Every structure is written in C-alpha cells, then in structure tokens.
Amino acid sequence: MSASLEKGIKALKKEVDSTVGAFFSSCVNCGMCAEACLFYTESPCPARTPINKTEPLRRIWKQEYTLIGRIGKMLGLAKPVDHDFLEHWEKLVYDSCSLCGRCSMVCPVGIDITALIRKTREGLAAAGHAPEGLVGATKRAVTIGSPMGVKLPALMAQIKHVEKDTGLKIPMDQQGAEYMLLLSSMEIMNFPEFIEAIAKIFDKAGVSWTISSEAFEATNSGLQIGVSDIAAELVQRVVDAAEKLKVKTVISPECGHAYMAIRWDGPNLIGKAFNFKVRHILEVLDEFSKDGRLKITGKETQKLTYHDPCQISRRGGVIDQPRNLINLFAEDFVEMPEAGKMNWCCGAGGGVSSNERADELRLKVFQRKKDQLDVIKPDVIISACSNCRIHLEDGLEEYNMEIPLMSLTETLAEHLEE
Amino acid sequence: MSEIEFLNWVRGPAFEIATVIFIAGVVIRILEIFLLGRKRNLAEAKGSEMSSGLRTIVSRSIPDKNTFKRSSFKIVSGYIFHLGLLVTIFFFAPHILLFKEVLGFSWPSLPTAIVDAFAAVSIITLIAVLIHRLRDNVLKFLSSTEDYLVWLLTILPLITGYIAFHRIGMSAPTLLAIHILSVELLLVAFPFTKLMHTFTLPIARWYNGAISGYRGVQS
Ligand code: SF4
Ligand code: SF4
C-alpha cells in the first residue's frame, strides 16, 4: 500500500461516474444533510456537514470532468488537491463519518452523500491519509486473514469449547453443505456464544452448514478504509472457499459492514457475479421461521427494543426480518423513535471504532442514541451487529445507563423448542 | 440607442443569444453527466432499480416527519419560492404569449392579481432565504460566491418583472427591457451554476432511489 498524492488523485478519478456527476451537479448547499448526521447534531461544527466531507472528490470531478471546471483549471482558478488539503479532510472523512447512510435519505435533491464519502475515502487512503488504526487492521486482514489478528487456531480453540458445551459437532470444511457461515473476529473472540447459537438452531432446523478454515473472516477492513483492491482480495478469499466447498448460500454474521462487503459490494469488487447466494443470518433465520424450521417457545417479559445496524437496515435492506424474529419471543417490544430505515447510527460504524483518534467523538455522538433510548426506556436492547453491540455497551457505560445488550441470534437459540 | 431600439435589441438578438447559450449549455451539462457512464451492479438484486428510482423522484419531495421538524424553515421557504417561480414564469398571461410564439402552443393563464401575489410572496421569501443563509452557521460555512450570485440572478427577474408590471419609476419600454435583460442573465448563467439542479435533480433522485431500491430499501 505505498501511497502518494498522484495515486490519491488517480483513485479519486477512478471513482467518478455518472452518479457522481449527477449528485454534485444537483447540490444546492441547503445544509439539510447536517441535521441528518449525528456527527453534526451532537457536535455541531459546520465542517462536519455531510456534503462537505466529499470536497476532495468534488474538486476532482469539477476540475477534470466539467467543461467549466476545466476552463477554470486552465486559467489557474482551480482549488488545489494537495497533501495539506487531504490531510485536513482525513478527520472529516474517517473520524466524523460512520458511513451510516442517513444523510442520503434526507438530501432533498437526492444525493447519495454516503456513497460519495465512501468514494472519497478511496482517494484519501491511496494518498496515505487514512487513520493508523484502520491501516493496521487492514494490514492484519491481508497478512493474517483477520483485522483483529485472529488466526485459525484461535477459532479452533473456541469451536472446541462450543462442541464440548453443546455436544454438537461444528462442521468444518464440509463439501456440499447448504450454508457456509462467516464470522467476524469480534464474534470469535468476544461472543463465541454466537457460534453456539448457530450450531443449536441449524441442528434443530435440520440443515447442513459449514465453516471454511480458509475463509471464515467476514469483516472487510479494505472496504472500511477504502482500498478497493484489498477489499477485492478479501472478498475473493470467501468466493474461493465457497466455490471449493460448493455451498449454495454464504451467511454473513451479526456484523453490519461484513454484510455490506460480501452481499452488496463483493461481486462488484471482484468484477464477477457470485454463483452462490449471500444472506444475512437474520434473513436465513426468518426464512427458517417461515418454513416452520425454527420453533420458538417461551416469552421474554422485559421491555425490548431493537437497534438497527445501519449497514443491515438502511444500507442493507434487512429491516423487517429482525422484527419478525423478535416478535417470536417478545411480549413487550417497543420501537425507538425513527426506528427502521431512518434509525440513528450508534456512532462506531464505518471503521470509526478501529480508529482510536475518534474515540472521544464516537462517545460524544452516542448522545443521539441515548436520547432515543431515553424516550422508550427499554429493559434490554437487541442488535444484530457485534460492532454496534460493543459500542453500545461502551456508550451506555459512558453515560451511566444500565441496559443490557442481547444478540438476536443468541436469544433465539435460548428459546428453541426442545 | 433609443429606448425602443434598446428594447428591440434585448428582445431580439440578445434573447436569441441567451437562449442558444442556455439550451446548448444545458445539453452539454447533461451529456457531461451521462457520458461518465456507470458500471452495472453485479450483486444479486433485491428490488427494482427502475421503479424505486422513479418513486424516489416523487417521494423525495415530501420529507419525513422528523426531517421536516428539523429543517422546517428550509423546506417551507423552499416550497414557497419554487412554487412562486413556477406560477410567475409559466402562468402569467404575457409569458404564455411568448411561449406560444417560441413553442407554437399555449396553456391557460392565471388571473394577473394571483400571479402578482405569488411574485410578491416569492420576493419576500427569497429575501428571508438570504437572511437565513447569512445567519445560519452551516449555510454560512457552505456558501460560496456562486450561491449568492445564483440568489441574485433568481430574484432579479422577479423584482424587475414586478416593477415593470406596476410601472414604478421609469418608462414602460425601459422597464420591460431591463426585465428581459435580467432573465437573459439568468439563462446565460443557468448551465454553469447550481441552477442546473432544475434539470439534474430528477437524475440524482433516480440514482438515489435506484441504489437504495436495488438493496430493497425505498429511499
Ligand atoms: S442536503 Fe443535499 S443539497 Fe442540501 S447541502 Fe446537503 S447534499 Fe447539498
Ligand atoms: S453517512 Fe452518516 S455519519 Fe456519514 S455523513 Fe452521512 S449521516 Fe453523517
């Protein structure tokens, strides 16, 4: 990943397409996107206005791809895109944006600002202006196979525990299985209960599944940092494993960006459609439930609410499934204000949580989630992304709130009919 | 140049030049966008790009409840002056005569008093919009010279039109000439400024809806 300004500019140019042209041509500087972004509303600095975060890409588009901009450039009127400028934008593009997608839902002229910020990251990363934490995670993902440095032996150790606790066999590298499960390092290290839950549910449902020892990592830090060739390499590993094991469906676990990476960006990154399906675990479980393969018994009497992980709900399209599933066991399910596709981000997505420099801001903007929670005062929060879950726990602690977190998949496993 | 000669020049050659720049400019800008091209999405679709895109073109005109609460001034003022522009440009009887001359067909006009009221309200709203822009932190930060220029170019035809209609000050031909000139300024600047959003907005909204709809979310 050797970086240079030239590479940065080249990367930005590569990102310009007709959507970029239409979006930038339409912005009327109305400022409405600011009010849609938790990094602005909770820490009101005008520079954090979403559309301002895309300025590096806008300058390149204008100077290189519009008649008037090119004339301006010839006359020496173009605003510079240099190291100082990009360095200044690094904090806006990485620390103050979780790629949550909320601004894109609000802009009155219809600009997908989030997509533009994502594209802007490509340029910044190539020019060497990406946060250290993310660079480190990305390097580990390439060399070790996981952003947190989780190697196969660590996974195998967790699996051994799970097998002992459940008495079930975790099928590794099983050819011809219907489903291949991916995991996030976070789940392997912090929430092995997730693997246990899957083992129990799939056993009861009577479907075959497997984990590949060659590609079990679901997260894609190449995507968060914005380096497409690395992101593509990480996707390719999964594709190779899925093809080798001839599975029908690859399951993305309870992790938002993993789902975005493999489900929506994956085929485009490697430039080839997949010959298997990709589903989020909640989509799979909802299908099981509809087919009568998921039998749930007993009710949770506490007041439950659901936090929508941005990449799964608003950016991913998995909105109804978690609610269907929660209603299988919830007696008192309440939605927070603006739940669903307009829900607010927890503040830690898009690589923000891997970027230590952003720690303070990330906890500050959690105020937005706190305000939502204060309205409904739930007993328990359910989420479907382990990154959200860890940050929600952090945020709740910071604001002295005692609300336990639950994983949806794990809760379902606890309520399986014997 | 006499008053009448000036009016004739403004109405004749100047208007033709402005119209040509306007049309050619808009066509170039639209081509500039589409010629950039867009890669086909290779992920398995969950919804239709076309229908979601079309829906977003319409649905984005209506903000959700909470967005409305957070940005009510911007939304209400935006609606008022855009509607005012629409009515004054397209439903004022003398304008319709001009459109008939150029396009060959016409449509019913609105009573002059109504158009007059719309013009007045639009002018007042645009002034309020400018004050808001100068006072709001985010808007102050985002705004460039272009934003203020575009504001001026938009309000000038309204003001000059209003003055010409009410014959305030100068003689009628001069007032009319000034009004037409202000419109020509607007036409010439149009393709090269943010005014282009008039034409690119449906494209941007379509892309937004298509990107989201492909993933099964109505944006
Ligand atoms: S909401 Fe849209 S049009 Fe308004 S400033 Fe933001 S990006 Fe531009
Ligand atoms: S994607 Fe989310 S965090 Fe990023 S600018 Fe938009 S609203 Fe803010």
Side-chain angles (χ1 to χ4, degrees):
Chain A
M1 272 204 305
S2 79
S4 71
L5 183 62
E6 211 178 299
K7 277 192 184 157
I9 290 176
K10 209 173 127 204
L12 286 172
K13 281 190 187 166
K14 219 178 120 195
E15 292 299 318
V16 176
D17 64 4
S18 59
T19 65
V20 173
F23 290 153
F24 282 133
S25 301
S26 302
C27 176
V28 288
N29 275 350
C30 71
M32 269 172 68
C33 46
E35 297 294 335
C37 174
L38 74 167
F39 287 89
Y40 172 78
T41 61
E42 306 315 306
S43 185
C45 156
R48 296 211 180 98
T49 302
I51 193 68
N52 184 50
K53 295 168 190 168
T54 68
E55 183 64 12
L57 182 64
R58 198 191 67 85
R59 286 192 187 176
I60 292 297
W61 162 75
K62 180 141 196 205
Q63 291 166 18
E64 306 290 336
Y65 300 96
T66 69
L67 182 65
I68 194 92
R70 263 181 285 174
I71 294 172
K73 195 179 171 189
M74 280 190 306
L75 298 174
L77 296 170
K79 291 191 184 152
V81 179
D82 53 25
H83 271 306
D84 284 350
F85 166 66
L86 293 181
E87 194 182 326
H88 186 72
W89 247 260
E90 180 186 323
K91 281 192 185 160
L92 293 175
V93 172
Y94 288 102
D95 305 22
S96 325
C97 177
S98 55
L99 300 179
C100 79
R102 215 174 169 281
C103 48
S104 302
M105 300 294 276
V106 164
C107 170
V109 300
I111 301 175
D112 189 347
I113 309 163
T114 317
L116 296 177
I117 297 176
R118 164 73 185 79
K119 284 169 175 288
T120 306
R121 283 189 179 186
E122 291 278 341
L124 262 69
H129 294 291
E132 244 169 74
L134 265 173
V135 174
T138 310
K139 277 195 186 131
R140 282 191 297 278
V142 175
T143 52
I144 302 175
S146 122
M148 285 167 69
V150 178
K151 292 187 193 166
L152 185 62
L155 172 65
M156 293 316 290
Q158 294 286 27
I159 284 181
K160 222 184 205 163
H161 279 299
V162 173
E163 288 185 333
K164 216 175 109 205
D165 290 350
T166 58
L168 295 167
K169 180 107 191 80
I170 306 295
M172 293 297 292
D173 297 318
Q174 205 172 86
Q175 274 239 345
E178 190 159 351
Y179 295 96
M180 179 177 112
L181 179 71
L182 300 176
L183 295 161
S184 67
S185 315
M186 202 91 92
E187 278 154 340
I188 300 170
M189 297 319 288
N190 301 354
F191 307 113
E193 303 85 355
F194 178 76
I195 308 175
E196 198 174 314
I198 295 284
K200 287 184 187 160
I201 295 173
F202 280 55
D203 177 59
K204 277 269 172 332
V207 292
S208 59
W209 67 291
T210 189
I211 296 176
S212 161
S213 60
E214 282 161 23
F216 54 85
E217 177 60 58
T219 57
N220 192 320
S221 38
L223 203 83
Q224 293 181 332
I225 196 174
V227 181
S228 283
D229 39 353
I230 291 181
E233 191 184 325
L234 297 176
V235 169
Q236 191 62 49
R237 285 182 194 169
V238 174
V239 173
D240 291 344
E243 285 178 352
K244 191 168 156 193
L245 296 176
K246 301 191 175 61
V247 297
K248 288 202 191 78
T249 305
V250 168
I251 301 178
S252 170
E254 293 206 354
C255 169
H257 282 87
Y259 180 63
M260 180 53 64
I262 193 75
R263 173 69 175 92
W264 299 114
D265 287 332
N268 297 311
L269 283 166
I270 64 167
K272 201 174 129 239
F274 293 166
N275 53 17
F276 50 87
K277 285 185 181 160
V278 178
R279 293 290 178 268
H280 188 262
I281 180 65
L282 298 184
E283 290 178 288
V284 175
L285 296 180
D286 189 44
E287 262 170 46
F288 283 3
S289 155
K290 290 197 170 119
D291 296 347
R293 288 170 176 273
L294 180 72
K295 296 220 169 57
I296 296 299
T297 151
K299 293 278 179 192
E300 294 278 337
T301 51
Q302 301 141 296
K303 191 199 263 189
L304 307 176
T305 192
Y306 178 68
H307 163 76
D308 289 273
C310 305
Q311 306 304 314
I312 293 172
S313 279
R314 174 168 43 246
R315 299 299 274 184
V318 183
I319 298 175
D320 297 335
Q321 293 87 341
R323 292 167 167 90
N324 298 342
L325 292 166
I326 291 171
N327 280 320
L328 295 177
F329 59 75
E331 232 168 49
D332 188 8
F333 174 49
V334 275
E335 294 275 21
M336 51 185 93
E338 302 184 74
K341 68 179 179 185
M342 292 304 281
N343 210 335
W344 291 87
C345 176
C346 64
V352 173
S353 62
S354 322
N355 173 5
E356 267 174 42
R357 192 177 58 201
D359 279 352
E360 205 187 315
L361 186 59
R362 155 173 81 87
L363 287 166
K364 186 164 185 205
V365 302
F366 185 78
Q367 178 72 39
R368 184 42 67 173
K369 193 52 50 188
K370 176 185 183 323
D371 289 347
Q372 280 183 292
L373 293 170
D374 283 346
V375 175
I376 53 165
K377 300 197 168 51
D379 299 325
V380 176
I381 305 169
I382 300 178
S383 189
C385 167
S386 45
N387 190 50
C388 291
R389 187 164 155 188
I390 289 194
H391 178 57
L392 286 166
E393 276 166 359
D394 257 16
L396 291 168
E397 196 187 309
E398 173 83 10
Y399 288 84
N400 300 316
M401 297 162 80
E402 268 173 48
I403 312 174
L405 264 296
M406 261 166 35
S407 134
L408 184 43
T409 310
E410 287 160 36
T411 314
L412 282 168
E414 282 162 22
H415 284 274
L416 278 179
E417 209 169 71
E418 282 309 317
Chain B
M1 206 191 280
S2 80
E3 220 180 10
I4 297 296
E5 274 169 357
F6 179 56
L7 178 60
N8 282 339
W9 178 78
V10 169
R11 269 182 158 162
F15 190 74
E16 273 166 31
I17 296 169
T19 312
V20 168
I21 294 180
F22 170 73
I23 294 174
V26 168
V27 170
I28 290 174
R29 286 295 307 270
I30 303 274
L31 281 178
E32 240 169 33
I33 292 173
F34 286 119
L35 288 178
L36 288 171
R38 180 174 171 244
K39 279 199 204 130
R40 199 168 64 89
N41 196 336
L42 296 167
E44 178 203 352
K46 205 171 167 182
S48 144
E49 284 201 324
M50 190 45 86
S51 65
S52 315
L54 293 176
R55 260 182 72 185
T56 299
I57 293 181
V58 181
S59 67
R60 208 37 88 91
S61 305
I62 305 140
D64 72 275
K65 198 172 83 235
N66 292 294
T67 300
F68 183 80
K69 256 192 252 158
R70 288 187 189 101
S71 308
S72 40
F73 175 79
K74 285 171 186 152
I75 295 164
V76 173
S77 62
Y79 256 101
I80 294 177
F81 84 76
H82 279 97
L83 189 69
L85 286 171
L86 184 87
V87 168
T88 45
I89 297 172
F90 294 104
F91 292 96
F92 182 47
H95 292 168
I96 296 179
L97 281 178
L98 175 71
F99 282 117
K100 191 175 180 190
E101 229 172 83
V102 179
L103 303 171
F105 58 91
S106 67
W107 51 88
S109 64
L110 279 173
T112 310
I114 291 184
V115 178
D116 196 44
F118 268 101
V121 171
S122 297
I123 293 171
I124 294 166
T125 311
L126 276 168
I127 292 171
V129 163
L130 179 68
I131 295 172
H132 179 62
R133 193 170 273 282
L134 289 167
R135 291 181 48 173
D136 183 273
N137 275 337
V138 168
L139 291 179
K140 248 194 322 203
F141 173 84
L142 289 180
S143 302
S144 61
T145 323
E146 188 187 323
D147 291 287
Y148 298 109
L149 177 73
V150 161
W151 178 87
L152 188 68
L153 291 171
T154 309
I155 200 169
L156 271 183
L158 279 168
I159 294 177
T160 56
Y162 192 85
I163 293 176
F165 178 70
H166 292 278
R167 313 234 162 124
I168 306 165
M170 289 170 265
S171 68
T174 307
L175 288 175
L176 186 58
I178 293 176
H179 173 57
I180 298 174
L181 203 59
S182 71
V183 174
E184 287 162 3
L185 277 179
L186 179 75
L187 287 177
V188 169
F190 199 102
F192 311 108
T193 56
K194 281 171 195 242
L195 293 164
M196 263 309 281
H197 76 275
T198 316
F199 294 100
T200 59
L201 173 139
I203 311 173
R205 284 189 183 176
W206 187 86
Y207 278 138
N208 187 307
I211 293 169
S212 211
Y214 197 87
R215 304 192 194 123
V217 184
Q218 181 58 49
S219 71

